[in-house]
Amino acid sequence: MEILHIYVSLLLLVVSYLFTTHIHWKVSNLPPTIFPTLPIIGHLYLLKAPIYRTFARISAKHGPIILLRFGSRRVLLVSSPSIAEECFTKNDIVFANRPNLVFGKILGDNFTSLVWAPYGDHWRNLRRIASTEILSTQRLNEFQDIRADEGLLLIRKLLSNSSPVNMKSAFYELTLNIMMRMISGKRYFGGDIVEVEEEGRRFRKILDEAFSLAGASNLGDYLPILSWFGVNDWRRNYFY
């Protein structure tokens, strides 16, 4: 009998929570959401692989703008070009910051790099430096020969290869070669120097391990309580 009372009490607690959350959402002038929003996990129960198709199904069913909750974080799902334009023009400062994820803390030097720094004087200074030293017309023209050479090498490699080619890996290596030639003056992939190839494999392994920390794959970013138990990795196949 006591167990029955416990079950009834838990059921009433969950129902009360869902009802209160639903009413609060209605009176808070927030974008529409999906009912129910479950305690603790929010809308994480909706996610299925691959994630972009899940978002497409949600948008097709519930409309062009939906406010979801992934654990402790709110996620605004926008599928309308006009609404997206409004987000990045009239309300651009509101959406200027990135969330503080473990990826940005570790690889973004505690959120001080250009990609992860919060909107403000420091970020504007970094953007000015990047615009001048990396993205200016003069600098882009200086690196034009590198981009053209790497593109030509990739085409030759594809033409000489009679077996199927993983284009994702090929373009990834193309991007890395361009970046490393701009930074260090040498290419890591597709060359004939064994030492450089070995160094390139180690470099790519470092990058793969670094990107495995990406926020979308770290469940602890959405459910911080899990970090107390050492549970951080999310199944990456949700996002590919």
Side-chain angles (χ1 to χ4, degrees):
M1 199 67 180
E2 292 181 0
I3 296 178
L4 179 60
H5 285 307
I6 294 175
Y7 285 151
V8 171
S9 299
L10 289 175
L11 179 60
L12 290 176
L13 181 62
V14 172
V15 171
S16 300
Y17 170 83
L18 295 177
F19 180 76
T20 303
T21 302
H22 183 67
I23 295 300
H24 171 72
W25 211 285
K26 288 291 186 180
V27 301
S28 297
N29 195 30
L30 294 172
T33 187
I34 298 176
F35 185 81
T37 303
L38 298 183
I40 302 178
I41 67 172
H43 295 105
L44 288 175
Y45 68 91
L46 295 174
L47 297 185
K48 296 180 181 179
I51 190 64
Y52 65 91
R53 291 185 180 175
T54 298
F55 285 158
R57 287 193 295 268
I58 291 175
S59 297
K61 182 177 180 179
H62 297 281
I65 179 169
I66 299 291
L67 186 58
L68 304 173
R69 189 163 66 81
F70 288 177
S72 61
R73 297 184 181 275
R74 288 179 175 178
V75 177
L76 186 65
L77 177 59
V78 174
S79 59
S80 165
S82 61
I83 298 177
E85 181 180 2
E86 184 174 346
C87 290
F88 293 111
T89 53
K90 296 180 181 179
N91 301 287
D92 56 329
I93 295 180
V94 177
F95 295 98
N97 291 328
R98 287 181 177 269
N100 291 339
L101 306 178
V102 67
F103 181 74
K105 181 177 178 63
I106 296 175
L107 297 181
D109 196 16
N110 199 25
F111 311 111
T112 58
S113 67
L114 176 61
V115 175
W116 293 99
Y119 181 79
D121 293 337
H122 175 65
W123 179 84
R124 283 191 290 268
N125 186 46
L126 292 177
R127 184 185 64 173
R128 179 185 58 80
I129 295 173
S131 299
T132 303
E133 300 298 330
I134 302 176
L135 302 175
S136 65
T137 302
Q138 178 182 354
R139 298 294 286 173
L140 290 175
N141 288 337
E142 289 178 2
F143 296 128
Q144 180 179 0
D145 291 342
I146 293 178
R147 297 193 300 273
D149 186 44
E150 287 299 328
L152 182 61
L153 289 173
L154 175 60
I155 293 174
R156 288 176 177 173
K157 178 181 177 180
L158 295 177
L159 290 176
S160 62
N161 197 333
S162 58
S163 58
V165 176
N166 185 331
M167 294 303 299
K168 179 180 179 180
S169 178
F171 284 125
Y172 182 48
E173 293 182 359
L174 169 69
T175 303
L176 292 181
N177 277 332
I178 292 175
M179 290 174 57
M180 295 313 300
R181 286 184 64 178
M182 291 171 59
I183 296 171
S184 63
K186 61 182 178 181
R187 63 197 310 267
Y188 274 147
F189 304 100
D192 299 325
I193 304 177
V194 177
E195 292 81 3
V196 175
E197 278 289 298
E198 178 60 29
E199 186 177 347
R201 281 191 289 270
R202 292 199 304 269
F203 175 64
R204 180 162 183 172
K205 183 179 179 180
I206 292 172
L207 286 180
D208 291 341
E209 291 178 352
F211 283 112
S212 69
L213 294 173
S217 65
N218 183 21
L219 188 54
D221 282 324
Y222 302 91
L223 300 174
I225 191 175
L226 294 182
S227 62
W228 300 351
F229 305 99
V231 179
N232 287 314
D233 294 331
W234 202 353
R235 292 189 303 170
R236 294 184 58 82
N237 62 353
Y238 272 132
F239 296 88
Y240 293 91

